[in-house]
Amino acid sequence: MFDFFKTKKNYENLSSSAFKAMISENPTAVIIDVRTALEFKQGSIPKAINIDLMDVNFSQKIAQLSKDKTYLVYCRSGNRSGSACKYMGDNGFGQVYNLSGGIMSY
């Protein structure tokens, strides 16, 4: 069977409990909030860095990150972070995890 039209998913969606477990089990993991700066200021997961997916410099900021680390990515509902995770996976990041349901589920 041919898989020409199937898109390979190169990141993993995690439930809120699994995401929290990853944070506690991986102290060197990088937590990325891809919401806007305003959303980030209104509340974020401790130790998260803000790299706005909609920022024109998003790809440049991601390119500066080490591809050898574990990345835990989230947004408000999980949609933007899913896009960010796909972008990261497509660009050689091997350990990328999306918070399914976003910070609203956290």
Side-chain angles (χ1 to χ4, degrees):
M1 177 174 230
F2 295 103
D3 291 330
F4 291 126
F5 300 106
K6 289 187 178 180
T7 304
K8 181 179 176 273
K9 194 163 106 179
N10 45 22
Y11 66 92
E12 187 177 340
N13 285 313
L14 298 178
S15 67
S16 178
S17 58
F19 197 86
K20 289 175 183 175
M22 276 288 243
I23 290 171
S24 63
E25 294 167 8
N26 295 286
T28 60
V30 179
I31 306 165
I32 302 175
D33 183 326
V34 296
R35 299 176 300 157
T36 66
L38 179 61
E39 288 175 298
F40 184 75
K41 287 178 187 170
Q42 292 172 343
S44 61
I45 295 174
K47 299 184 183 173
I49 59 171
N50 185 217
I51 304 176
D52 183 353
L53 177 67
M54 301 302 174
D55 187 293
V56 295
N57 296 316
F58 175 79
S59 58
Q60 292 169 330
K61 291 176 181 178
I62 293 299
Q64 294 173 354
L65 301 174
S66 169
K67 293 182 179 175
D68 299 327
K69 294 188 176 192
T70 298
Y71 292 94
L72 304 170
V73 187
Y74 73 94
C75 64
R76 186 182 64 81
S77 66
N79 291 326
R80 284 176 282 178
S81 54
S83 295
C85 287
K86 181 176 182 338
Y87 176 82
M88 291 175 76
D90 288 348
N91 285 279
F93 291 83
Q95 296 182 40
V96 184
Y97 301 91
N98 179 43
L99 174 55
S100 185
I103 198 167
M104 294 187 332
S105 70
Y106 192 79

